[in-house]
Amino acid sequence: MDDAVLVRATAAAAAMVRSTLAERAAWLRAVADALDARTADLVAVADRETHLGEGRLTGEVARTTGQLRLFADVVLEGSYLEATIDQAAPTAAPPRPDLRRMLRPIGPVAVFSASNFPFAFSVAGGDTASALAVGCPVVVKAHPGHPELSRLTAEIVTGALATAGAPTGAFALVEGYEDGIALVGHPAVMAVAFTGSVAGGRALHDLAAARPAPIPFYGELGSVNPVVVTGGADAARGASLAAGLAASFTLGTGQFCTKPGVVFVPEGSAFERALAAVDLPAAGAMLTDSIARGFASGVDRLLAVPGVELVSGSADGPLVVAAPLDALEAHAEELLAEVFGPVTVLVRYGSDERLLASLDKLEGSLTATLHAEESDATAELVERLETVAGRLLFAGWPTGVAVTWSQHHGGPWPSTTSQFTSVGATAVRRFLRPIAYQDAPDAALPPALRDGNPLGIPRRVDGVLGQV
Amino acid sequence: MDDAVLVRATAAAAAMVRSTLAERAAWLRAVADALDARTADLVAVADRETHLGEGRLTGEVARTTGQLRLFADVVLEGSYLEATIDQAAPTAAPPRPDLRRMLRPIGPVAVFSASNFPFAFSVAGGDTASALAVGCPVVVKAHPGHPELSRLTAEIVTGALATAGAPTGAFALVEGYEDGIALVGHPAVMAVAFTGSVAGGRALHDLAAARPAPIPFYGELGSVNPVVVTGGADAARGASLAAGLAASFTLGTGQFCTKPGVVFVPEGSAFERALAAVDLPAAGAMLTDSIARGFASGVDRLLAVPGVELVSGSADGPLVVAAPLDALEAHAEELLAEVFGPVTVLVRYGSDERLLASLDKLEGSLTATLHAEESDATAELVERLETVAGRLLFAGWPTGVAVTWSQHHGGPWPSTTSQFTSVGATAVRRFLRPIAYQDAPDAALPPALRDGNPLGIPRRVDGVLGQV
């Protein structure tokens, strides 16, 4: 990697620490406007490289620019700074100094973009937006699945940032395996954000942890996104739930980190009968050859498990398979592993007790979905699912991930490596570190902490949260 | 290690998730009251094992129980939950579900206690208090420097928690090197908090990162706590600053992680002249033999650096040494390394430009202190020090660490491993993970997220922070 990239990022970091909330919000909005204006060009290149289709890709550009604008709002609102002031208490025992704390940018961030969301989790995606939002320079490692799109997006981002007055070095793109490794090891890089496979993420996590000065690695890796359908829900609406699942697990040719990969259904369910009769969409082209190969071998492994039956579709995908709960005893690893692509596994349970026990075999997931009737006793099920996932759904399907203040896109290992999200307002917390100022003259303080609250942001003063 | 410890902790975790804010606040206050009631016994045992003296130890018990009570207040106030609600927007494009996010306990926490604060950073210290506060069971690894005190404290904590109605397994104590290693590797342990040496912390950090399912390791390791005295400050009050430094670096026989270890002073300073004439206190007994040996060899290494002179005291400590800025060029590693114990290094600078450049040689610290006059131009100095430390002082000395809402006790590696603090209200964030609930029936939600805000806590609704 050209070391100049990180020399420029380091210089930009020093300038960005001093940037105002309004300046950074304007940078993000300028990037969003520039991407919106080039939607047609971007979608054409993306469709050629990813085969995801114009409709989906056009929607994803809008989602991506909406995300940039949400982070602009988050920055302007200002409570992400966690500004906290404890005034001096000279007569307390022991006497307390004036102490003021806020969050500040951590420094240059390396972003590894994903293959399956060439806009929303790629060059100008959520990791980039949330890092820039709080004043961290970003160096993106392009995904090799869409190199041309990565370059075009980077060109638009770079141009928009320059026009909006962001420092040179606030954003850069690198390509290739070696440059990715070099980024994670570079002493100027202060955090890594990654969306991708468990194997790739684990390797980079281990590199980040092994540095002479370790840095945080925020990975979004693998997830099976379990679904539980109760007997009550099956009786009330098994067929419509089946239609919902069929639409969800085939979306984007099943290439979503939130694809429902395993569904616990009662034995002899209307849900399964409806799935056996459902019309699945034709197999779409997958993102890359290696993803297609991974899907084929994953399906082979599933079909080789004793007791697994094909419910619908074919081995080329999309397909639904089913297995009795007994099969989980000996083959949990195969049945509960993520297979990236359009396949989902029904696990048929006989009793609620055995269902509950089997949930302990699940690894961490981004999401868990519970389809139940209000009359069902679900407290224990909810408690189990809370230990497994970061987002619990009680209606609908997990493939939609709203970009909002309250979103959480994270969960226990291996779905993510951290207690943070890569989607939604709080994604910015990954790229911040606290600083406390003790007995500082007002002029030496950042504006967020000065007397009189010149930024008008929410602050906590002497323990009380307010706008003072 | 007896596996039953973590079986009980795991069972307790499930119960503690459902505990109320008021219940947990009552547990913490019960522990504080029980420790206060036994202060005399605790101090007697502590003094025998640590030699820190009755006065200091009595104050530390009060600090520790005050800390428990602060976390009770933090829990009752409730904004630590980050409760966030986005109401459904069915007509938005794309339609948005009802989504509600909050922070939940991460699960059992392993706490490695420190030698130098046998109360405040030990069995019932800040790590234990902040984990219990948010509903995480705690297993403390006792420090071998004060085993009897650890057992007595654990007995008091266990009794108080039981009387207050906390679940069995909410707290346990283990001892010995092997049990410590076993804790970090145990699949039931969800986070590790550690205060101690860089070498020990690094080893445990690496273990936590290498687990099949990695967990967060929150380490507070080594810190030199640089101080800068400007020419202006030296001229105005060099002698009184020197007296302040002498008191600070000898406090607790220099065995503070916030001890000022290196002081940049102008050449020919009144500050250094005053230190040469100062009466340093007599050498106190150190905490353990191994700390005493580490101090002796650290002092030997310092005195062997070409250009280093003894300013005051003797090699047995306390002592002040000095070196010209030139010595930093060849010997930064020796001059800027933490030596745990009563020694501080003056580095004499000739020009502000060379001072600024030399600050780049500093590793991360918990604190940095700037003694300047209001008329001094300090903007660049402040910017450099912000990149080095987590707390910046503009008056006083870093050895005092107020336990408040705004405290930050953390900094770049190797002072800590994380973007979190181990002192102050926000220490609780280390032991929390977010969960988002999508389209949940009100009864399935935790009380913090239910309609009508039954807990009366600060929440963000549709992006607006308030009490609704």
Side-chain angles (χ1 to χ4, degrees), chain B residues 283-313:
Chain B
M286 302 200 75
L287 288 161
T288 66
D289 288 346
S290 88
I291 287 175
R293 282 193 302 273
F295 176 67
S297 67
V299 169
D300 285 349
R301 269 196 307 279
L302 274 177
L303 292 173
V305 172
V308 165
E309 299 170 65
L310 185 68
V311 174
S312 184

Side-chain angles (χ1 to χ4, degrees), chain B residues 7-202:
Chain B
V7 171
R8 284 193 294 268
T10 302
M16 291 166 80
V17 165
R18 296 189 294 275
S19 61
T20 66
L21 303 181
E23 283 168 346
R24 294 202 303 279
W27 302 344
L28 295 174
R29 288 170 177 169
V31 171
D33 292 347
L35 292 170
D36 277 341
R38 297 288 296 278
T39 300
D41 300 338
L42 288 162
V43 166
V45 177
D47 196 27
R48 199 162 62 234
E49 292 190 318
T50 67
H51 328 295
L52 287 170
E54 266 188 38
R56 142 76 194 270
L57 289 165
T58 303
E60 195 185 324
V61 173
R63 175 199 173 87
T64 304
T65 58
Q67 182 163 259
L68 285 154
R69 294 187 182 100
L70 172 67
F71 284 118
D73 295 344
V74 168
V75 165
L76 288 173
E77 196 264 351
S79 59
Y80 85 91
L81 294 165
E82 299 185 7
T84 308
I85 296 174
D86 291 312
Q87 299 184 90
T91 59
R96 283 200 310 275
D98 182 282
L99 200 58
R100 300 173 185 228
R101 171 191 183 272
M102 68 180 288
L103 301 183
R104 310 257 299 174
I106 198 171
V109 172
V111 170
F112 286 73
S113 54
S115 61
N116 59 339
F117 281 86
F119 297 109
F121 289 82
S122 191
V123 175
D127 291 335
T128 296
S130 52
L132 288 175
V134 297
C136 295
V138 171
V139 182
V140 174
K141 153 72 171 61
H143 195 282
H146 49 271
E148 266 193 75
L149 177 67
S150 298
R151 287 173 213 136
L152 177 58
T153 309
E155 186 190 306
I156 296 170
V157 170
T158 304
L161 287 175
T163 306
T168 312
F171 174 86
L173 182 77
V174 301
E175 297 183 54
Y177 178 84
E178 268 88 33
D179 275 14
I181 301 289
L183 262 187
V184 176
H186 198 288
V189 170
M190 291 293 144
V192 180
F194 170 92
T195 307
S197 70
V198 176
R202 177 83 212 206

Side-chain angles (χ1 to χ4, degrees), chain A residues 40-78:
Chain A
D41 299 339
L42 288 163
V43 166
V45 176
D47 196 27
R48 198 161 64 232
E49 292 190 319
T50 68
H51 329 295
L52 287 171
E54 265 188 39
R56 142 78 193 269
L57 289 165
T58 304
E60 195 184 323
V61 173
R63 174 199 173 87
T64 304
T65 57
Q67 183 163 257
L68 285 154
R69 293 187 183 102
L70 172 67
F71 284 117
D73 294 344
V74 168
V75 165
L76 288 174
E77 196 264 350

Side-chain angles (χ1 to χ4, degrees), chain A residues 343-397:
Chain A
V343 59
T344 194
V345 178
L346 311 187
V347 177
R348 304 173 186 129
Y349 64 88
S351 74
D352 288 356
E353 290 65 36
R354 291 206 55 208
L355 167 63
L356 277 170
S358 71
L359 297 180
D360 288 343
K361 296 189 187 296
L362 289 163
E363 288 192 295
S365 267
L366 294 166
T367 74
T369 303
L370 175 60
H371 286 297
E373 293 298 283
E374 295 232 357
S375 53
D376 292 335
T378 56
E380 268 189 287
L381 270 173
V382 171
E383 275 173 32
R384 296 289 170 109
L385 295 176
E386 283 173 338
T387 67
V388 165
R391 177 163 57 110
L392 262 61
L393 294 87
F394 296 79
W397 300 91

Side-chain angles (χ1 to χ4, degrees), chain A residues 170-240:
Chain A
F171 174 86
L173 182 77
V174 301
E175 296 184 54
Y177 178 83
E178 268 88 34
D179 275 13
I181 302 289
L183 262 187
V184 176
H186 199 289
V189 169
M190 290 294 145
V192 180
F194 171 92
T195 307
S197 70
V198 175
R202 176 85 211 206
L204 294 178
H205 165 274
D206 291 352
L207 275 181
R211 288 166 47 121
I215 54 174
F217 174 84
Y218 303 110
E220 197 249 90
L221 314 175
S223 186
V224 297
N225 304 299
V227 178
V228 173
V229 177
T230 65
D234 182 61
R237 51 200 161 95
S240 72

